[in-house]
Amino acid sequence: MNRIAGKGERPARDGRAGGRKQGGSRARDGVTIHAMKIVILDRDGVINEDSPNFIKSVAEWHPVPGSLEGIALLCQAGFRVFVASNQSGIGRGLLDFDALFAIHDKMQRALAELGGRIDGVFYAPEHPDQASVMRKPAPGMLKDLGKRLNVSLEGVPFVGDSGSDLEAARAAGARPVLVLSGNGKRTKTKHGAADIEVYDDLLAFARTHIERSTAQSC
């Protein structure tokens, strides 16, 4: 599974220096990747059930019903799916990097059984009191993703369930999309949704996004 090490993180498990990406999502041989079909997702509350006590272990990670199927559909339709997630549980000392990687490995295995995958996971591990520009609602994490892929985020959907997701998407030039799973219903009530797309869950978004993409390519 591709991982992005954030500011202040330890080196990744394969021995590469922190801040470098594992895997091949960066443009190859210096050539910019054009016309890439990308979808970016928040994790907690979108892919898996959220918890006020944080997701600290594999045992606590449970997918939102239909979310993995939605990701698999996107992959099978030719989209590359990335995750951009605040993971302050690390900065709070509630879990370590090995626990985080184990959670993501479980997610990848579950997706593989359905014919899907996550092409890269970007995360901000710092405590909110020590937030860098990588922590949402700041746009640094999304901008870094676009820079690493050599693509513009204009029109790229960022699917989230919180106000910080919507703010980060707007600030990065991406297209904010709200799902009502996780904290989505509360976010819709608090922030409104006049200028954003709203879906019941990730599966509903995936089906609509694929239909639109197919229609536009005809």
Side-chain angles (χ1 to χ4, degrees):
M1 178 177 181
N2 297 334
R3 301 186 185 94
I4 299 295
K7 181 179 179 182
E9 293 184 333
R10 66 166 200 182
R13 287 191 297 185
D14 66 354
R16 299 186 184 190
R20 293 182 61 188
K21 188 175 190 298
Q22 300 179 15
S25 293
R26 189 185 274 272
R28 294 169 178 82
D29 302 321
V31 178
T32 302
I33 302 172
H34 295 284
M36 183 184 293
K37 296 166 64 175
I38 297 174
V39 172
I40 309 172
L41 310 174
D42 179 40
R43 196 195 80 178
D44 301 331
V46 176
I47 300 174
N48 57 272
E49 302 286 1
D50 203 354
S51 168
N53 299 316
F54 298 87
I55 307 301
K56 304 178 292 296
S57 68
V58 167
E60 296 176 352
W61 188 89
H62 303 286
V64 172
S67 65
L68 302 185
E69 290 81 359
I71 294 172
L73 287 176
L74 288 167
C75 293
Q76 292 158 18
F79 288 93
R80 298 183 66 186
V81 181
F82 295 85
V83 169
S85 175
N86 289 342
Q87 291 297 321
S88 69
I90 293 176
R92 298 172 191 270
L94 300 176
L95 74 161
D96 59 19
F97 288 97
D98 284 337
L100 181 67
F101 295 165
I103 290 169
H104 292 162
D105 288 343
K106 178 181 179 179
M107 178 172 64
Q108 288 284 45
R109 289 194 301 271
L111 281 167
E113 293 178 359
L114 299 172
R117 62 169 283 131
I118 300 295
D119 278 284
V121 174
F122 292 63
Y123 55 91
E126 62 265 24
H127 191 287
D129 292 342
Q130 300 173 326
S132 72
V133 295
M134 294 295 176
R135 178 177 169 81
K136 298 176 293 183
M141 191 169 6
L142 297 179
K143 288 184 175 181
D144 185 47
L145 189 158
K147 181 179 179 181
R148 288 172 183 264
L149 297 179
N150 276 353
V151 297
S152 168
L153 295 183
E154 183 178 359
V156 172
F158 177 41
V159 183
D161 69 317
S162 70
S164 64
D165 296 325
L166 303 180
E167 291 178 37
R170 291 189 182 102
R175 175 161 59 94
V177 177
L178 178 67
V179 289
L180 300 182
S181 55
N183 295 312
K185 292 180 180 178
R186 182 169 58 189
T187 299
K188 182 180 179 182
T189 299
K190 181 177 180 180
H191 295 273
D195 61 338
I196 59 174
E197 297 174 46
V198 180
Y199 298 90
D200 286 339
D201 52 30
L202 180 53
L203 179 58
F205 160 77
R207 286 171 171 162
T208 300
H209 191 61
I210 292 167
E211 288 175 1
R212 286 179 179 174
S213 176
T214 301
Q216 291 172 357
S217 63
C218 293

